[in-house]
C-alpha cells in the first residue's frame, strides 16, 4: 500500500505507529507556523472563485469527490486499520461515511434557500453567505468521519477549508486531500495541514483569515479554543467529551440490553465521545442484567483489527492505554474480557467496574477507553437524576418496552442524542452535538450548511 506523504516539512516529524503491534509505519512531516500561514493564505485566495462557482457545478464537484472516495474505500480502510487500529469492519464503514456525507451535502448548493419575508414598502429576502476560510481541528479517535462532518457541509456552503488531523492519525486525511484534487476540487479549496495542536490548531484560532473553527476533541482544549475565538468573535463549533448513560428499565428486553451493552461501551475500544460508559439498571433487574452482561463481555472479540470478525482492536497509543489503566487502578472490577493478542501493541481488556459511590472517578470521569461502570437505580426519577449528574451531555440510551416512559426519559435526559432500545448516535441525516460541557452547536443533519454561513437580509424598496 502506498502511504500518503505530507507536503510540509518545517514543523518536525511525527512517527506513525501501528497500534496493533507498536511497529513504526511511516514518518509524517509537520507544518510550522509559516507553512500554516501559507496554507491559510492559499485557502483565502481560493475562496472567491469557489464561492462564485455556480451551485450546480459545486454540487457536481462534490459528487465527483464522493465518487473518488467510493473508489478507494478499501484503501482508506486499510490505512485506518494501520494508523488507528480500528477494526476493518469499522474502518470500511468510516470511509463509506465520508462518501455518504459528501453525497448528502452535494445536494446542498442547489437547495440552500433563503426566505422571502412579507414587509411593507418592498420585498425582503435573505441569503446564506459563506464565511470564508473554515478551520477544522480533528481528534484521533474517528479521523475520517469527524473530518467529513466538517469539510463536506463547509465546502457545500461555499467556504474553503483548512483541516488539521490529530498528530497521531494523519494518514487518511492526507489521502482524502489527494482524492479531492484528483476529483477536480480546485487547488487551495480543501487543504490538509498536519501539525501540532499548539502550532497549526492554535493558528486556525488566531489567524484573522480563518472565519470559523470547528473543533472536536477534549473539553479542556475546547474551552481554550472558545476563549481564543472570542478575541475575534470568531464562529466556533465544539464537539467535546462525554460520559453517557445507558438506562435499562426492568421491563426491557434484558437479553437484548445486555447483548448490545458491550458494543455501546467498547466500540472503537471505548475511544468514542458517545460511548455509553455508565450503565444504570433498575434495581429489581440489576443482578440479572450483570449475569447476562458477563458472557457478552467475555465473548466480545478483541482481536487483530485486520481480522474480519474483530469487534475491538487496540487503543491508539501507549499513553492512552496507560491513562485508561490508571483510571481503573484500585477500582472494584466486576469482570473483564479478553486482552487481545500477545506481543506488542496497545491492548487492553474490556472491563466492567462497580463504582463505590456516585463521586467515584470511574463513574464521573471520561476515561476514553474500554471501561464501563454499572450502578442500580430505584425509579424513573432516580434514573433521570443519576443520568444527569454529570457535566457532560452528549448521548445516551434508554431500554424499555414502555413507549411513554421512553419518551418521558428521552425528553428529561440533558443530552444531545438519545436512542431508545439501541445505541445509535451519529446518523448524517440528523443533527449531532452536545448539551452542557459536551459542546456547542450542532453538526450534520439538514441544517449543517446554515452553520457554515451567515444570514444576510436584503430589503428592496418598491416605492422608489
Ligand atoms: P485533544 O483535545 O487533545 O486534541 C484534539 C485535536 O485538537 C487534535 O488535533 C490536537 O492536535 C488539537 N489541539 C490540541 N491542542 C490544541 C490547541 N491548543 N489549539 C488548537 N488545537 C489543539 O483531544 P484528543 O486526545 O485528540 O481526543 C480525545 C478527546 O476528544 C476526548 O475527550 C473525546 O471525548 C473528545 N471527542 C469528542 C467528540 C465529539 O464529537 N464530541 C468526538 C471525538 C472525540
Amino acid at each position: 500500500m502506498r502511504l500518503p506523504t505530507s507536503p510540509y516539512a518545517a514543523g518536525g516529524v511525527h512517527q506513525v505507529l501501528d497500534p496493533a503491534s507498536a511497529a513504526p509505519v511511516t514518518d509524517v512531516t509537520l507544518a510550522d507556523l509559516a507553512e500554516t500561514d501559507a496554507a491559510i493564505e492559499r485557502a483565502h485566495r481560493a475562496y472567491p472563485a469557489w464561492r462564485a462557482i455556480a451551485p450546480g457545478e459545486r454540487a457536481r464537484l462534490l459528487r465527483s469527490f464522493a465518487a473518488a472516495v467510493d473508489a478507494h474505500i478499501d484503501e482508506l480502510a486499510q490505512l485506518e486499520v494501520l494508523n488507528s487500529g480500528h477494526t476493518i469492519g469499522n474502518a470500511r464503514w468510516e470511509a463509506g461515511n465520508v462518501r455518504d456525507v459528501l453525497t448528502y451535502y452535494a445536494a446542498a448548493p442547489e437547495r440552500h434557500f433563503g426566505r422571502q419575508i412579507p414587509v411593507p414598502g418592498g420585498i425582503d429576502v435573505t441569503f446564506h453567505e459563506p464565511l470564508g476560510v473554515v478551520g477544522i481541528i480533528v481528534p484521533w479517535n474517528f479521523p475520517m468521519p469527524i473530518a467529513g462532518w466538517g469539510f463536506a457541509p463547509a465546502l457545500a456552503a461555499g467556504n474553503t477549508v483548512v483541516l488539521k488531523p490529530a498528530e497521531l492519525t494523519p494518514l487518511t486525511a492526507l489521502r482524502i486531500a489527494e482524492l479531492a484534487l484528483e476529483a477536480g476540487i480546485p487547488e487551495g479549496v480543501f487543504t490538509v495541514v498536519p501539525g501540532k495542536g499548539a502550532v497549526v490548531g492554535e493558528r486556525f484560532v488566531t489567524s484573522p483569515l480563518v472565519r470559523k473553527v470547528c473543533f472536536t476533541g477534549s473539553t479542556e482544549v475546547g474551552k481554550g479554543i472558545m476563549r481564543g475565538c472570542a478575541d475575534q468573535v470568531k464562529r466556533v463549533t465544539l464537539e467535546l467529551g462525554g460520559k453517557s448513560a445507558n438506562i435499562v428499565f426492568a421491563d426491557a428486553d434484558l437479553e437484548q440490553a445486555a447483548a448490545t451493552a458491550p458494543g455501546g461501551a467498547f466500540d472503537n475500544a471505548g475511544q468514542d465521545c458517545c460511548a455509553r460508559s455508565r450503565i444504570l439498571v433498575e434495581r429489581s433487574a440489576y443482578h440479572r442484567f450483570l449475569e447476562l452482561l458477563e458472557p457478552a463481555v467475555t465473548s466480545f472479540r478483541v482481536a487483530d483489527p485486520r481480522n474480519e470478525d474483530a469487534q475491538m482492536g487496540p487503543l491508539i497509543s501507549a499513553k492512552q492505554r496507560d491513562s485508561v489503566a490508571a483510571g481503573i487502578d484500585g477500582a472494584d472490577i466486576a469482570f473483564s474480557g479478553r486482552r487481545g493478542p500477545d506481543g506488542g501493541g496497545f491492548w487492553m481488556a474490556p472491563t466492567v467496574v462497580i463504582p463505590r459511590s456516585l463521586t467515584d472517578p470511574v463513574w464521573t470521569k471520561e476515561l476514553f477507553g474500554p471501561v464501563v461502570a454499572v450502578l442500580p437505580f430505584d425509579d424513573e426519577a432516580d434514573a433521570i437524576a443519576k443520568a444527569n449528574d454529570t457535566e457532560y451531555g452528549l448521548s445516551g440510551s434508554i431500554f424499555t418496552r414502555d413507549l411513554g416512559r421512553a419518551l418521558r426519559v428521552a425528553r428529561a435526559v440533558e443530552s444531545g442524542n438519545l436512542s431508545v432500545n439501541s445505541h445509535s448516535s451519529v446518523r448524517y441525516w440528523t443533527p449531532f452535538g452536545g448539551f452542557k460541557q459536551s459542546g456547542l452547536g450542532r453538526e450534520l443533519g439538514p441544517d449543517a450548511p446554515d452553520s457554515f454561513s451567515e444570514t444576510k437580509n436584503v430589503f428592496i424598496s418598491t416605492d422608489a
Side-chain angles (χ1 to χ4, degrees):
M1 187 182 3
R2 189 187 70 81
L3 298 176
T5 52
S6 153
Y8 306 93
V13 167
H14 172 77
Q15 184 181 50
V16 172
L17 302 181
D18 175 352
S21 65
V25 171
T26 187
D27 287 345
V28 171
T29 52
L30 307 177
D32 71 350
L33 208 55
E35 287 174 321
T36 307
D37 277 337
I40 294 170
E41 182 67 41
R42 279 195 301 278
H44 178 66
R45 281 201 304 272
Y47 169 60
W50 180 246
R51 77 170 290 189
I53 285 180
E57 178 60 8
R58 198 186 307 140
R60 192 191 62 74
L61 285 166
L62 291 173
R63 283 195 294 272
S64 152
F65 188 0
V69 171
D70 189 45
H72 294 84
I73 295 284
D74 265 335
E75 180 196 338
L76 289 166
Q78 301 286 353
L79 265 183
E80 204 64 278
V81 173
L82 191 62
N83 191 163
S84 309
H86 291 193
T87 62
I88 182 67
N90 278 11
R92 274 195 209 105
W93 180 91
E94 290 159 15
N97 183 257
V98 175
R99 171 204 55 211
D100 294 344
V101 170
L102 273 167
T103 308
Y104 182 71
Y105 290 110
E110 295 165 294
R111 293 170 176 80
H112 204 192
F113 307 123
R115 294 198 287 183
Q116 182 265 309
I117 299 170
V119 291
I123 291 171
D124 196 282
V125 285
T126 65
F127 297 90
H128 295 292
E129 305 287 14
L131 302 169
V133 180
V134 171
I136 299 174
I137 302 173
V138 180
W140 47 257
N141 61 334
F142 288 110
M144 282 193 279
I146 291 173
W149 304 344
F151 71 69
L155 294 174
N159 305 281
T160 55
V161 167
V162 286
L163 182 145
K164 192 198 90 59
E167 288 89 323
L168 294 174
T169 56
L171 295 186
T172 47
L174 285 167
R175 184 68 186 117
I176 289 169
E178 292 174 357
L179 294 173
L181 279 180
E182 287 168 26
I185 302 289
E187 195 92 38
V189 168
F190 174 54
T191 309
V192 169
V193 192
K196 297 203 165 77
V199 178
V200 179
E202 213 158 297
R203 194 62 187 134
F204 289 0
V205 174
T206 57
S207 167
L209 294 183
V210 176
R211 305 297 295 276
K212 170 165 183 162
V213 171
C214 259
F215 171 81
T216 304
S218 59
T219 297
E220 190 192 340
V221 174
K223 287 179 184 175
I225 302 246
M226 192 173 173
R227 275 192 291 272
C229 285
D231 268 352
Q232 297 167 27
V233 197
K234 189 173 289 196
R235 276 61 182 144
V236 62
T237 301
L238 303 174
E239 300 288 358
L240 309 174
K243 189 77 179 174
S244 297
N246 173 9
I247 306 172
V248 181
F249 285 93
D251 75 337
D253 177 342
L254 285 186
E255 278 75 14
Q256 186 217 3
T260 56
F266 306 142
D267 188 56
N268 205 31
Q271 304 165 122
D272 180 347
C273 48
C274 292
R276 275 57 166 184
S277 52
R278 296 186 296 153
I279 305 181
L280 281 160
V281 189
E282 193 163 1
R283 200 174 293 278
S284 60
Y286 183 67
H287 289 293
R288 178 69 187 136
F289 180 83
L290 283 174
E291 271 171 20
L292 292 165
L293 183 62
E294 183 163 4
V297 170
T298 52
S299 63
F300 204 68
R301 289 187 299 280
V302 184
D304 186 323
R306 291 157 191 82
N307 290 0
E308 286 293 337
D309 69 347
Q311 288 177 293
M312 187 181 125
L315 277 72
I316 186 69
S317 63
K319 184 172 161 222
Q320 185 63 14
R321 182 199 48 202
D322 295 348
S323 138
V324 180
I328 54 170
D329 192 27
D332 287 337
I333 293 175
F335 42 85
S336 50
R338 291 190 231 156
R339 188 190 162 272
D342 288 333
F346 313 126
W347 297 92
M348 186 174 179
T351 303
V352 178
V353 295
I354 308 296
R356 297 196 178 111
S357 71
L358 291 171
T359 55
D360 190 330
V362 297
W363 187 251
T364 58
K365 206 169 158 266
E366 183 185 49
L367 296 175
F368 222 55
V371 176
V372 69
V374 192
L375 275 182
F377 68 84
D378 291 314
D379 56 20
E380 199 174 304
D382 188 37
I384 293 165
K386 284 183 169 138
N388 287 340
D389 184 21
T390 167
E391 70 209 25
Y392 296 116
L394 191 53
S395 68
S397 305
I398 300 145
F399 281 76
T400 176
R401 288 189 170 100
D402 179 337
L403 182 58
R405 169 190 278 155
L407 282 171
R408 279 195 306 275
V409 177
R411 295 298 302 272
V413 173
E414 296 162 349
S415 227
N417 299 81
L418 276 306
S419 54
V420 175
N421 296 327
S422 81
H423 295 300
S424 151
S425 288
V426 193
R427 292 160 179 251
Y428 60 85
W429 311 275
T430 59
F432 172 67
F435 280 31
K436 301 195 281 190
Q437 294 195 29
S438 283
L440 186 75
R442 291 292 177 272
E443 298 192 286
L444 297 173
D447 301 328
D450 291 0
S451 59
F452 289 102
S453 49
E454 294 284 7
T455 300
K456 180 181 284 171
N457 191 70
V458 176
F459 171 72
I460 305 152
S461 170
T462 49
D463 292 340

